[in-house]
Amino acid sequence: MSELSRREVLAGASLLTGGILAAGGPAALAASQAPSSAPAGAAPAATGPYTLSPLPYDYADLEPHIDAQTMKLHHDIHHAGYVKNANAAFAELDAVRRQGGADVQRVRAITDALTFNLAGHALHEIFWTNMKRDGGGEPAAGSEIGKLIQRDFGTFAAFSAQFSAAAAQVQASGWGIAAYDPLAERLLVLQAEKHQNLAVWGVTPVLVIDVWEHAYYLKYQNRRTDYIKAWWNVVNWDDADKRLQAAMKAK
Ligand code: MN
């Protein structure tokens, strides 16, 4: 694993949160909700119900497709910030309840922050384990996800084309998501804006790609479709299959 100095990491973080993302529009909103001063290199101690899981591999393990510096910033700064802010929202709601719970404006604002940060935390926890070194290819022929992709999309090529298009076309910051829908008992391809908008209740995400600029800008700049194409080379199909099997069983 290539070691990055704390200085480089912090410089990169300020580039992402203060520079590129602060250009305006939804990206500026994202920057205002992104962490700017979380410590590099270490997961913060849990001070609420949510904890940041360590990456299940080294920062450099997904190279050349996803670079080590992006992985370090993304996990240790951005994802850590969502965890910290979700816990903070929990604590603030607790304080509001102790004061009688009638502060409508604060409840609204804190609930909004909780939703954004918790949705971000939940999706990143799936995202990291959805990837691995030397991943990619197609799901194993006998796997549940391989079977459902065939049944619900016709071919793997048709599925991956639709998933890539959905991810590429997310407006501003968001996610491409393949999810199991227990109502139709099938796989769906969905989009999320930010982390929480366009969400559907009751479905279980099994394969997700982060298409926020912080997920690819250092290596790919504005070329989101190149990043998506490269990401297919690190997909951990065993993890996606495990998630699908659990979702099907839970119904
Ligand atoms: Mn992210």
Side-chain angles (χ1 to χ4, degrees), residues 8 23 57 69-70 91 93 101 104 112 114 136-137 159 175 187 192 213 220 229 233 240 247:
E8 282 172 316
Y57 37 72
Q69 188 181 18
T70 294
L93 285 169
V104 174
D112 189 67
L114 175 64
F159 164 78
W175 297 77
L187 281 175
E213 288 179 346
Y220 295 95
K229 205 169 148 195
N233 294 305

Side-chain angles (χ1 to χ4, degrees), residues 63-76:
E63 290 194 350
H65 309 293
I66 303 179
D67 60 289
Q69 188 181 18
T70 294
M71 289 299 291
K72 187 166 176 59
L73 290 167
H74 197 171
H75 178 270
D76 295 358

Side-chain angles (χ1 to χ4, degrees), residues 76-94:
D76 295 358
I77 308 271
H78 292 278
H79 185 181
Y82 298 133
V83 174
K84 188 174 153 227
N85 292 337
N87 284 331
F90 237 82
E92 286 171 44
L93 285 169
D94 200 36

Side-chain angles (χ1 to χ4, degrees), residues 74-75 78-79 82 120 123-124 127-128 174-175 195 209-215 227:
H74 197 171
H75 178 270
H78 292 278
H79 185 181
Y82 298 133
L123 285 170
H124 283 93
F127 181 55
W128 306 130
W175 297 77
H195 304 302
I209 179 172
D210 187 336
V211 293
W212 281 58
E213 288 179 346
H214 68 219
Y227 155 69

Side-chain angles (χ1 to χ4, degrees), residues 3-10 72:
E3 272 303 319
L4 297 160
S5 76
R6 179 180 166 80
R7 210 166 138 247
E8 282 172 316
V9 168
L10 292 176
K72 187 166 176 59

Side-chain angles (χ1 to χ4, degrees), residues 184-251:
E185 300 183 325
R186 58 160 290 160
L187 281 175
L188 302 175
V189 170
L190 301 168
Q191 295 170 312
E193 290 176 6
K194 296 201 281 180
H195 304 302
Q196 74 281 28
N197 295 344
L198 309 181
V200 177
W201 300 110
V203 305
T204 303
V206 298
L207 182 68
V208 303
I209 179 172
D210 187 336
V211 293
W212 281 58
E213 288 179 346
H214 68 219
Y216 63 87
Y217 220 90
L218 290 178
K219 183 176 171 74
Y220 295 95
Q221 291 85 48
N222 59 308
R223 300 185 308 279
R224 185 191 278 185
T225 51
D226 289 354
Y227 155 69
I228 294 168
K229 205 169 148 195
W231 172 82
W232 287 106
N233 294 305
V234 295
V235 169
N236 182 346
W237 286 110
D238 290 340
D239 181 70
D241 190 48
K242 222 162 49 185
R243 291 178 180 281
L244 175 63
Q245 288 187 37
M248 293 173 77
K249 223 176 279 172
K251 190 187 181 289

Side-chain angles (χ1 to χ4, degrees), residues 152-153 157-167 186 188-190:
D152 298 340
F153 296 86
F159 164 78
S160 58
Q162 184 182 336
F163 187 96
S164 291
R186 58 160 290 160
L188 302 175
V189 170
L190 301 168

